Amino acid sequence: MTAEDSASHHNAIPEGVAGAPNEAALMALMEQSGYGMVQENGQRKYGPPPGWQGPSPPRGCEIFVGKIPRDVYEDELVPVFETVGRIYEMRLMMDFDGKNRGYAFVMFTQKHEAKRAVRELNNFEIRPGRLLGVCSSVDNCRLFIGGIPKTKKREEILEEVSKVTEGVLDVIVYASAADKMKNRGFAFVEYESHRAAAMARRKLMPGRIQLWGHQIAVDWAEPEIDVDEDVMETVKILYVRNLMIETSEDILRQTFGQFNPGCVERVKKIRDYAFVHFSSREDAVVAMDNLNGTEIEGSRIEVTLAKPVDKEQYTRYQKASKATAAPTTTDNTQQSYVYQCDPYTLTYYGYPYNTLIGPNREYFIKGCLPLIFKKHLET
């Protein structure tokens, strides 16, 4: 082979693959599958499938893979994950020395394939004694901002945040339990993309920017718990938020039972939220459709189906956090689940951030809420 032929051959090898310790194996993988591979911004991307047309798969199709041995690469990982579904893209995080950083993201073409990967490949033994950690991944586009003056309205917060960050889609603000004219001292800001949210987070980090002359606390918002659709279809309990403190369980029983007398089995109210148990799912859905967004004793309520959390998962995160979780209720017909209030209500009542269930919790455990926000909650 001449020097010119050698240079031509080298140029045909994608950047990030050329010179890799397993270059030949990666080239063989691409030739066999027809997928491309390119390295950029510290990650090596494998995919999408040859001939793919249309948008990328929707949210819910991606998984997180942790605890990857640093000398394991796509030629070993792809065959494993192809056993559960068609891979749209694999992103392996890479170091400057050519080794991987121990984790990757795999996006499948269908949601059920991603769920199967979590179910079947978590703790897969990729090397003798080396087990992979596999869980769902969430493309987070939402930030938590604490330290907001409690007198500020949603429109004011939206305007202020939009002045200093780009890509703001929405602001979520919850009224105080004690005074519905005030907010709870924090808000959630939804951005158009994960990148926009990441840029905003970097810009809003404490010490860089103040809002209304106040120091703020900024972090990723804890995503809502992701529950399988087939499990959600069995739920007959409603989660009711933003109630007045003085609203009684009897008032809630009457209000939610008005569409079919006797359909409410029991009500459990904790401060300004409650769980309403129905005898049938149909009755629960009718009540939700009719009452969400209406007022009870002067407060506009939010009504959703309660999200059940697997008891084993719930127990694991309680032990890991070594903290007391918020009160929960159980449904006698579904003994394997507990029903928990949303992470925002947990945050409001001061539970450390690391008690919440996160998408990559086993691999990136968050610390507690910033001290400034804890102080703000106490005032």
Side-chain angles (χ1 to χ4, degrees):
M1 181 182 289
T2 66
E4 186 177 338
D5 291 335
S6 177
S8 176
H9 172 72
H10 188 79
N11 290 336
I13 303 175
E15 183 179 349
V17 175
N22 62 334
E23 176 185 316
L26 294 178
M27 291 297 293
L29 172 66
M30 288 189 289
E31 185 174 346
Q32 180 225 338
S33 67
Y35 283 60
M37 193 179 296
V38 63
Q39 183 166 328
E40 57 184 15
N41 300 323
Q43 56 184 345
R44 194 158 63 199
K45 295 182 181 181
Y46 170 81
W52 180 274
Q53 294 184 343
S56 57
R59 291 182 70 171
C61 292
E62 189 173 69
I63 60 169
F64 171 84
V65 185
K67 297 186 281 190
I68 302 173
R70 295 197 66 201
D71 59 347
V72 168
Y73 302 99
E74 293 88 346
D75 56 300
E76 289 185 68
L77 294 170
V78 167
V80 171
F81 288 94
E82 279 183 336
T83 62
V84 296
R86 187 184 185 201
I87 294 174
Y88 173 78
E89 181 182 74
M90 177 181 289
R91 294 184 291 123
L92 182 62
M93 304 301 124
M94 302 296 294
D95 256 335
F96 294 110
D97 62 2
K99 292 184 177 180
N100 78 64
R101 294 169 59 191
Y103 67 100
F105 295 89
V106 182
M107 181 179 289
F108 291 92
T109 58
Q110 303 287 334
K111 287 184 180 181
H112 69 85
E113 296 169 332
K115 291 177 181 177
R116 185 183 171 194
V118 173
R119 189 169 60 248
E120 297 183 14
L121 297 180
N122 186 37
N123 292 325
F124 179 85
E125 191 171 20
I126 190 74
R127 293 271 178 86
R130 303 297 298 275
L131 308 182
L132 297 177
V134 180
C135 63
S136 298
S137 172
V138 177
D139 189 12
N140 206 343
C141 300
R142 184 177 292 183
L143 294 183
F144 162 89
I145 301 180
I148 291 176
K150 294 183 179 180
T151 56
K152 298 300 179 182
K153 306 295 183 188
R154 175 188 172 279
E155 292 73 19
E156 295 176 280
I157 299 171
L158 178 61
E159 180 181 2
E160 188 75 5
V161 174
S162 296
K163 285 179 184 176
V164 294
T165 63
E166 298 179 359
V168 177
L169 290 183
D170 192 19
V171 169
I172 302 166
V173 184
Y174 297 128
S176 167
D179 183 352
K180 297 300 180 183
M181 297 303 291
K182 294 182 178 179
N183 71 63
R184 296 183 174 185
F186 65 85
F188 297 91
V189 184
E190 187 83 20
Y191 288 86
E192 62 186 13
S193 67
H194 176 75
R195 176 176 171 77
M199 296 292 286
R201 178 175 177 268
R202 192 173 299 133
K203 191 171 184 180
L204 293 172
M205 288 302 285
R208 295 188 178 182
I209 289 180
Q210 292 188 340
L211 299 181
W212 303 285
H214 287 247
Q215 182 69 49
I216 57 172
V218 181
D219 205 341
W220 290 106
E222 188 69 12
E224 292 277 7
I225 299 162
D226 186 26
V227 182
D228 285 347
E229 293 176 9
D230 55 346
V231 173
M232 285 303 296
E233 288 175 0
T234 68
V235 173
K236 51 182 180 177
I237 301 173
L238 295 183
Y239 171 60
V240 187
R241 181 168 52 199
N242 203 35
L243 294 163
M244 298 295 287
I245 291 290
E246 58 269 21
T247 297
S248 68
E249 291 182 352
D250 285 339
I251 289 293
L252 293 176
R253 182 183 294 274
Q254 293 171 20
T255 303
F256 282 83
Q258 64 181 294
F259 307 102
N260 182 13
C263 67
V264 175
E265 293 184 337
R266 61 192 177 99
V267 177
K268 179 63 177 176
K269 182 172 183 283
I270 306 105
R271 288 182 62 87
D272 65 339
Y273 65 95
F275 293 94
V276 183
H277 296 242
F278 289 81
S279 56
S280 75
R281 177 181 172 81
E282 291 72 24
D283 288 326
V285 172
V286 167
M288 176 178 67
D289 291 343
N290 281 278
L291 294 174
N292 183 39
T294 62
E295 288 192 3
I296 294 182
E297 297 189 329
S299 182
R300 186 181 179 88
I301 63 171
E302 295 179 33
V303 184
T304 59
L305 288 166
K307 289 192 172 183
V309 184
D310 183 88
K311 276 186 179 179
E312 291 184 7
Q313 179 188 19
Y314 186 77
T315 301
R316 281 200 304 271
Y317 98 79
Q318 278 187 310
K319 287 180 179 177
S321 64
K322 296 180 181 177
T324 303
T328 61
T329 62
T330 58
D331 180 355
N332 292 333
T333 63
Q334 295 176 320
Q335 288 297 321
S336 60
Y337 294 104
V338 293
Y339 289 84
Q340 185 183 355
C341 61
D342 63 284
Y344 311 141
T345 300
L346 272 177
T347 305
Y348 175 50
Y349 292 122
Y351 296 99
Y353 216 63
N354 65 349
T355 67
L356 307 182
I357 298 175
N360 304 330
R361 171 172 166 67
E362 292 181 34
Y363 313 100
F364 304 111
I365 299 180
K366 289 177 177 285
C368 295
L369 281 171
L371 183 61
I372 180 174
F373 178 56
K374 284 189 172 181
K375 290 180 179 178
H376 191 77
L377 280 173
E378 293 165 0
T379 60

